[in-house]
Amino acid sequence: GEDVEQSLFLSVREGDSSVINCTYTDSSSTYLYWYKQEPGAGLQLLTYIFSNMDMKQDQRLTVLLNKKDKHLSLRIADTQTGDSAIYFCAFPREGKLTFGTGTRLTIIP
Amino acid sequence: DAGVIQSPRHEVTEMGQEVTLRCKPISGHDYLFWYRQTMMRGLELLIYFNNNVPIDDSGMPEDRFSAKMPNASFSTLKIQPSEPRDSAVYFCASSQDSATNEKLFFGSGTQLSVL
């Protein structure tokens, strides 16, 4: 099976919260990452969480980590049109960063 | 710093032609990565360099692909001969050192179309 799984699509109304989920099969990494890819651009590091933390908050972003269930999520509060992008979770594996399939977030006006 | 710079932004070529993609990493970054992104396969790591030396090229699809890094400020990815299935967006990324090589800075990519 896939090492890292994400839902491909998510649609959210402007102003609502978005929750993007990611499950993984194996990670001994110190950090776990969320990258954002805007249309026509490369990926940008959005946020990350240290593996011994359960939660990290950074302004409108909240990262939740459930190591027991191997589940990582990204919550975006008060979703705006500028949040439209593809969001990738990423984990170091065998010295390299492994990316999820990406979740395309669409904002409904 | 201008960030990671890739050229060209778009490349359209015919099957069988040679294609060369170029990348200038961020100054001072020791690691350089080449990725390929397609709808079917997502984001794939092709090869990465540390201090200009190729470390892992296990992701390179086949002998038609080659990558070089002649100096710290320049890398190329070459496809010869190109095939329609090579059509994809190719990204170059760089990172600062081994402690932070998970925090990648990506270029804007080269959209390659092989007809």
Side-chain angles (χ1 to χ4, degrees), chain A residues 6-91:
Chain A
Q6 296 181 244
S7 298
L8 291 180
F9 303 99
L10 176 66
S11 295
V12 173
R13 291 201 177 278
E14 191 174 359
D16 288 352
S17 293
S18 305
V19 180
I20 302 168
N21 295 304
C22 175
T23 57
Y24 55 96
T25 56
D26 175 53
S27 175
S28 56
S29 57
T30 305
Y31 292 97
L32 300 96
Y33 300 87
W34 283 102
Y35 278 78
K36 176 183 180 182
Q37 183 181 25
E38 296 182 352
L43 281 70
Q44 292 179 291
L45 178 61
L46 187 62
T47 187
Y48 57 91
I49 187 168
F50 192 53
S51 59
N52 70 354
M53 297 171 64
D54 297 325
M55 184 181 80
K56 177 183 176 182
Q57 186 143 9
D58 182 3
Q59 299 182 337
R60 293 190 298 118
L61 305 178
T62 303
V63 181
L64 294 176
L65 175 61
N66 183 330
K67 291 187 74 173
K68 176 177 171 292
D69 293 338
K70 296 186 177 178
H71 184 263
L72 181 72
S73 67
L74 173 70
R75 179 177 179 270
I76 305 172
D78 187 24
T79 308
Q80 304 297 309
T81 54
D83 297 323
S84 292
I86 304 175
Y87 292 81
F88 295 86
C89 57
F91 305 86

Side-chain angles (χ1 to χ4, degrees), chain A residues 29 31 33 35 37 40-45 48 86 88 92 94-97 99-101 104, chain B residues 9 33 35 37 39 42-43 45 48 56 58 89 91 99 101-109:
Chain A
S29 57
Y31 292 97
Y33 300 87
Y35 278 78
Q37 183 181 25
L43 281 70
Q44 292 179 291
L45 178 61
Y48 57 91
I86 304 175
F88 295 86
E94 298 175 354
K96 298 173 285 191
L97 205 55
F99 288 89
T101 52
R104 183 181 296 273
Chain B
R9 283 300 309 271
F33 304 80
Y35 284 87
Q37 185 177 36
M39 289 291 291
L43 203 60
L45 176 63
Y48 77 95
D56 186 344
S58 60
V89 181
F91 287 104
N101 69 351
E102 300 161 6
K103 298 174 185 173
L104 305 182
F105 293 80
F106 281 77
S108 298

